[in-house]
Amino acid sequence: MKFILATKGKMTQVFDADGVVHPATVLSAGPITAVQVKNQEKDGYSAVQFGYGEKKEKNIIKAQKGHYGDLGNFKHVRELRLEKDDETVKGDKVDVTAFEVGDKISVSATSKGKGFQGVVKRYGFAGGPRTHGQKHSERAPGSIGSQGPQRVFKGKKMSGRMGSDRITVKNLKVLQINKDENILVVSGAIPGIKGGLVEIRGI
């Protein structure tokens, strides 16, 4: 089971043994603690719940304190679904040593929120021309439907909220591991803000 929670850091570049440069993201990964182990008999499915980060004790409600026990005051809790029951027990810790350089991984995170945006930014519409009598419609969407149906079809690309979506990037590669400082260096870009929560899964 290769799974860990991390915090997104800066981007950099890494040279491999052949001198090829790779764009990379530095992640502060783990350690994470198994807070709860779910099995097929009791819960109806197999999963392990992991806690990561630290939160002030005054900001944790009583129900969470009872759930965590004496394992810690976790800032984030995420659950990893498993196909079958695992040997992990409550209290087990996972750190970057679960991964090796060269491992293929998939990374999930929440993208940056951009608020309410128009169609030019949201979908890449070209907009209208500045000349030929146009005045205030340079970034307008244009016609949104025909006369026949007398309505706008569902799914029409229009202005709206953009960003803050859960995005998964697959087939990334572990380039470097620093076991002393719990740092993973991963190829490519990762969605989200600096300091945002990142889920890393082995493929």
Side-chain angles (χ1 to χ4, degrees), residues 7-43:
T7 302
K8 181 180 174 181
K10 64 180 181 179
M11 285 201 73
T12 183
Q13 58 184 17
V14 174
F15 289 88
D16 61 16
D18 300 322
V20 179
V21 66
H22 298 274
T25 306
V26 180
L27 301 172
S28 177
I32 59 176
T33 305
V35 175
Q36 184 184 9
V37 179
K38 298 186 177 182
N39 55 49
Q40 196 72 38
E41 295 178 3
K42 186 178 179 182
D43 304 289

Short mmCIF file of all heavy atoms in Angstrom, two decimals, residues 7-43:
data_model
loop_
_atom_site.label_atom_id
_atom_site.label_comp_id
_atom_site.label_asym_id
_atom_site.label_seq_id
_atom_site.Cartn_x
_atom_site.Cartn_y
_atom_site.Cartn_z
N THR A 7 1.96 18.26 1.92
CA THR A 7 1.69 19.69 1.75
C THR A 7 2.50 20.18 0.57
O THR A 7 3.70 19.91 0.47
CB THR A 7 2.08 20.47 3.02
OG1 THR A 7 1.36 19.95 4.12
CG2 THR A 7 1.75 21.94 2.87
N LYS A 8 1.84 20.92 -0.33
CA LYS A 8 2.52 21.40 -1.53
C LYS A 8 3.50 22.52 -1.19
O LYS A 8 3.17 23.44 -0.43
CB LYS A 8 1.49 21.88 -2.56
CG LYS A 8 2.12 22.37 -3.86
CD LYS A 8 1.07 22.84 -4.83
CE LYS A 8 1.70 23.47 -6.05
NZ LYS A 8 0.71 23.97 -7.01
N GLY A 9 4.71 22.44 -1.77
CA GLY A 9 5.71 23.48 -1.58
C GLY A 9 6.01 24.19 -2.90
O GLY A 9 5.13 24.35 -3.75
N LYS A 10 7.26 24.56 -3.06
CA LYS A 10 7.65 25.32 -4.26
C LYS A 10 7.90 24.39 -5.45
O LYS A 10 7.97 23.17 -5.30
CB LYS A 10 8.93 26.11 -3.97
CG LYS A 10 10.13 25.21 -3.67
CD LYS A 10 11.37 26.01 -3.38
CE LYS A 10 12.57 25.09 -3.11
NZ LYS A 10 13.79 25.83 -2.84
N MET A 11 8.07 25.00 -6.63
CA MET A 11 8.48 24.26 -7.82
C MET A 11 9.96 24.51 -8.07
O MET A 11 10.51 25.54 -7.66
CB MET A 11 7.66 24.66 -9.04
CG MET A 11 6.26 24.09 -9.05
SD MET A 11 5.53 24.06 -10.70
CE MET A 11 6.45 22.72 -11.49
N THR A 12 10.60 23.54 -8.72
CA THR A 12 12.03 23.65 -9.01
C THR A 12 12.33 22.82 -10.25
O THR A 12 11.40 22.38 -10.95
CB THR A 12 12.88 23.19 -7.81
OG1 THR A 12 14.25 23.38 -8.09
CG2 THR A 12 12.61 21.73 -7.47
N GLN A 13 13.60 22.58 -10.53
CA GLN A 13 13.96 21.69 -11.62
C GLN A 13 15.05 20.73 -11.13
O GLN A 13 15.87 21.09 -10.31
CB GLN A 13 14.43 22.46 -12.85
CG GLN A 13 15.61 23.39 -12.63
CD GLN A 13 15.94 24.20 -13.87
OE1 GLN A 13 15.13 24.31 -14.79
NE2 GLN A 13 17.13 24.75 -13.92
N VAL A 14 15.01 19.52 -11.66
CA VAL A 14 15.92 18.46 -11.20
C VAL A 14 16.59 17.84 -12.42
O VAL A 14 15.92 17.51 -13.41
CB VAL A 14 15.16 17.39 -10.40
CG1 VAL A 14 16.06 16.22 -10.06
CG2 VAL A 14 14.57 18.00 -9.14
N PHE A 15 17.90 17.66 -12.35
CA PHE A 15 18.65 16.98 -13.40
C PHE A 15 18.80 15.51 -13.03
O PHE A 15 19.19 15.18 -11.89
CB PHE A 15 20.04 17.61 -13.58
CG PHE A 15 20.01 18.97 -14.20
CD1 PHE A 15 19.86 20.11 -13.42
CD2 PHE A 15 20.11 19.13 -15.57
CE1 PHE A 15 19.82 21.36 -13.99
CE2 PHE A 15 20.07 20.37 -16.16
CZ PHE A 15 19.94 21.51 -15.37
N ASP A 16 18.52 14.61 -13.97
CA ASP A 16 18.71 13.18 -13.70
C ASP A 16 20.12 12.75 -14.06
O ASP A 16 20.98 13.57 -14.42
CB ASP A 16 17.66 12.35 -14.45
CG ASP A 16 17.76 12.51 -15.97
OD1 ASP A 16 18.79 13.01 -16.46
OD2 ASP A 16 16.80 12.13 -16.65
N ALA A 17 20.40 11.46 -13.99
CA ALA A 17 21.74 10.93 -14.22
C ALA A 17 22.21 11.16 -15.65
O ALA A 17 23.42 11.24 -15.92
CB ALA A 17 21.78 9.44 -13.89
N ASP A 18 21.27 11.28 -16.60
CA ASP A 18 21.62 11.50 -18.01
C ASP A 18 21.74 12.98 -18.35
O ASP A 18 21.97 13.33 -19.52
CB ASP A 18 20.57 10.85 -18.92
CG ASP A 18 20.48 9.35 -18.68
OD1 ASP A 18 21.54 8.73 -18.46
OD2 ASP A 18 19.36 8.82 -18.70
N GLY A 19 21.55 13.86 -17.37
CA GLY A 19 21.65 15.29 -17.62
C GLY A 19 20.37 15.92 -18.15
O GLY A 19 20.38 17.07 -18.57
N VAL A 20 19.28 15.15 -18.14
CA VAL A 20 18.00 15.68 -18.62
C VAL A 20 17.32 16.42 -17.47
O VAL A 20 17.24 15.92 -16.35
CB VAL A 20 17.07 14.55 -19.11
CG1 VAL A 20 15.73 15.10 -19.57
CG2 VAL A 20 17.76 13.78 -20.23
N VAL A 21 16.83 17.63 -17.74
CA VAL A 21 16.20 18.44 -16.71
C VAL A 21 14.69 18.14 -16.66
O VAL A 21 14.05 18.00 -17.70
CB VAL A 21 16.46 19.94 -16.94
CG1 VAL A 21 15.78 20.43 -18.21
CG2 VAL A 21 16.00 20.76 -15.74
N HIS A 22 14.15 18.03 -15.44
CA HIS A 22 12.73 17.75 -15.24
C HIS A 22 12.12 18.85 -14.38
O HIS A 22 12.66 19.18 -13.32
CB HIS A 22 12.53 16.41 -14.53
CG HIS A 22 13.05 15.24 -15.28
ND1 HIS A 22 12.32 14.57 -16.24
CD2 HIS A 22 14.26 14.60 -15.21
CE1 HIS A 22 13.04 13.58 -16.72
NE2 HIS A 22 14.22 13.58 -16.12
N PRO A 23 10.98 19.42 -14.80
CA PRO A 23 10.26 20.32 -13.88
C PRO A 23 9.75 19.50 -12.70
O PRO A 23 9.31 18.36 -12.88
CB PRO A 23 9.12 20.87 -14.73
CG PRO A 23 8.91 19.85 -15.79
CD PRO A 23 10.26 19.24 -16.06
N ALA A 24 9.79 20.05 -11.50
CA ALA A 24 9.44 19.26 -10.32
C ALA A 24 8.75 20.12 -9.26
O ALA A 24 8.93 21.33 -9.21
CB ALA A 24 10.70 18.61 -9.74
N THR A 25 7.98 19.45 -8.42
CA THR A 25 7.32 20.09 -7.29
C THR A 25 7.83 19.45 -6.01
O THR A 25 7.92 18.22 -5.91
CB THR A 25 5.79 19.92 -7.37
OG1 THR A 25 5.33 20.39 -8.63
CG2 THR A 25 5.11 20.69 -6.26
N VAL A 26 8.15 20.28 -5.03
CA VAL A 26 8.65 19.80 -3.74
C VAL A 26 7.46 19.65 -2.79
O VAL A 26 6.69 20.59 -2.60
CB VAL A 26 9.68 20.78 -3.15
CG1 VAL A 26 10.18 20.27 -1.80
CG2 VAL A 26 10.84 20.96 -4.11
N LEU A 27 7.32 18.47 -2.18
CA LEU A 27 6.22 18.18 -1.29
C LEU A 27 6.75 17.80 0.09
O LEU A 27 7.69 17.01 0.20
CB LEU A 27 5.37 17.02 -1.83
CG LEU A 27 4.73 17.22 -3.20
CD1 LEU A 27 4.10 15.91 -3.66
CD2 LEU A 27 3.71 18.33 -3.17
N SER A 28 6.14 18.36 1.12
CA SER A 28 6.43 17.95 2.49
C SER A 28 5.45 16.85 2.85
O SER A 28 4.28 17.10 3.11
CB SER A 28 6.28 19.15 3.44
OG SER A 28 6.50 18.75 4.77
N ALA A 29 5.92 15.59 2.83
CA ALA A 29 5.04 14.42 2.89
C ALA A 29 5.14 13.70 4.22
O ALA A 29 6.21 13.29 4.65
CB ALA A 29 5.39 13.46 1.76
N GLY A 30 3.99 13.55 4.88
CA GLY A 30 3.88 12.75 6.10
C GLY A 30 4.71 13.28 7.25
O GLY A 30 5.17 14.42 7.22
N PRO A 31 4.93 12.44 8.28
CA PRO A 31 4.32 11.10 8.39
C PRO A 31 2.82 11.17 8.70
O PRO A 31 2.34 12.13 9.28
CB PRO A 31 5.09 10.49 9.57
CG PRO A 31 5.56 11.64 10.37
CD PRO A 31 5.79 12.77 9.42
N ILE A 32 2.10 10.10 8.29
CA ILE A 32 0.67 10.02 8.56
C ILE A 32 0.41 8.85 9.49
O ILE A 32 1.20 7.91 9.56
CB ILE A 32 -0.14 9.88 7.25
CG1 ILE A 32 0.30 8.62 6.47
CG2 ILE A 32 0.00 11.11 6.40
CD1 ILE A 32 -0.53 8.36 5.23
N THR A 33 -0.70 8.92 10.22
CA THR A 33 -1.02 7.91 11.22
C THR A 33 -2.37 7.29 10.91
O THR A 33 -3.34 7.99 10.57
CB THR A 33 -1.07 8.56 12.62
OG1 THR A 33 0.16 9.23 12.88
CG2 THR A 33 -1.29 7.50 13.70
N ALA A 34 -2.46 5.97 11.02
CA ALA A 34 -3.72 5.25 10.81
C ALA A 34 -4.64 5.52 12.01
O ALA A 34 -4.34 5.12 13.13
CB ALA A 34 -3.46 3.77 10.65
N VAL A 35 -5.73 6.23 11.75
CA VAL A 35 -6.67 6.61 12.81
C VAL A 35 -7.76 5.55 12.98
O VAL A 35 -8.22 5.28 14.09
CB VAL A 35 -7.31 7.97 12.49
CG1 VAL A 35 -8.38 8.34 13.50
CG2 VAL A 35 -6.24 9.05 12.43
N GLN A 36 -8.18 4.95 11.86
CA GLN A 36 -9.22 3.93 11.91
C GLN A 36 -9.03 2.94 10.76
O GLN A 36 -8.66 3.34 9.65
CB GLN A 36 -10.61 4.58 11.81
CG GLN A 36 -11.76 3.59 11.94
CD GLN A 36 -13.11 4.26 11.74
OE1 GLN A 36 -13.19 5.43 11.36
NE2 GLN A 36 -14.20 3.54 12.00
N VAL A 37 -9.27 1.67 11.05
CA VAL A 37 -9.20 0.62 10.02
C VAL A 37 -10.59 0.05 9.84
O VAL A 37 -11.20 -0.43 10.81
CB VAL A 37 -8.20 -0.48 10.41
CG1 VAL A 37 -8.17 -1.57 9.33
CG2 VAL A 37 -6.81 0.09 10.61
N LYS A 38 -11.13 0.11 8.63
CA LYS A 38 -12.47 -0.40 8.34
C LYS A 38 -12.35 -1.72 7.57
O LYS A 38 -11.48 -1.86 6.71
CB LYS A 38 -13.26 0.62 7.52
CG LYS A 38 -13.48 1.93 8.26
CD LYS A 38 -14.38 2.87 7.50
CE LYS A 38 -14.64 4.14 8.29
NZ LYS A 38 -15.56 5.07 7.60
N ASN A 39 -13.23 -2.66 7.89
CA ASN A 39 -13.19 -3.96 7.21
C ASN A 39 -14.55 -4.31 6.63
O ASN A 39 -15.56 -3.65 6.90
CB ASN A 39 -12.71 -5.06 8.16
CG ASN A 39 -13.55 -5.14 9.43
OD1 ASN A 39 -14.77 -5.16 9.36
ND2 ASN A 39 -12.87 -5.14 10.58
N GLN A 40 -14.55 -5.38 5.82
CA GLN A 40 -15.75 -5.77 5.10
C GLN A 40 -16.86 -6.23 6.03
O GLN A 40 -18.04 -5.92 5.81
CB GLN A 40 -15.39 -6.89 4.11
CG GLN A 40 -16.43 -7.14 3.03
CD GLN A 40 -16.47 -6.02 2.00
OE1 GLN A 40 -15.44 -5.48 1.63
NE2 GLN A 40 -17.66 -5.70 1.51
N GLU A 41 -16.52 -6.94 7.09
CA GLU A 41 -17.53 -7.50 7.98
C GLU A 41 -18.27 -6.42 8.76
O GLU A 41 -19.50 -6.41 8.83
CB GLU A 41 -16.87 -8.48 8.96
CG GLU A 41 -16.27 -9.70 8.28
CD GLU A 41 -15.60 -10.61 9.28
OE1 GLU A 41 -15.66 -10.30 10.49
OE2 GLU A 41 -15.01 -11.62 8.85
N LYS A 42 -17.51 -5.50 9.35
CA LYS A 42 -18.13 -4.50 10.24
C LYS A 42 -18.67 -3.29 9.50
O LYS A 42 -19.75 -2.78 9.81
CB LYS A 42 -17.08 -4.06 11.27
CG LYS A 42 -17.62 -3.13 12.35
CD LYS A 42 -16.54 -2.79 13.35
CE LYS A 42 -17.07 -1.84 14.42
NZ LYS A 42 -16.02 -1.45 15.39
N ASP A 43 -17.91 -2.79 8.51
CA ASP A 43 -18.26 -1.52 7.86
C ASP A 43 -18.82 -1.69 6.45
O ASP A 43 -19.28 -0.72 5.85
CB ASP A 43 -17.03 -0.61 7.80
CG ASP A 43 -16.45 -0.38 9.19
OD1 ASP A 43 -17.08 0.33 9.98
OD2 ASP A 43 -15.36 -0.92 9.48
#
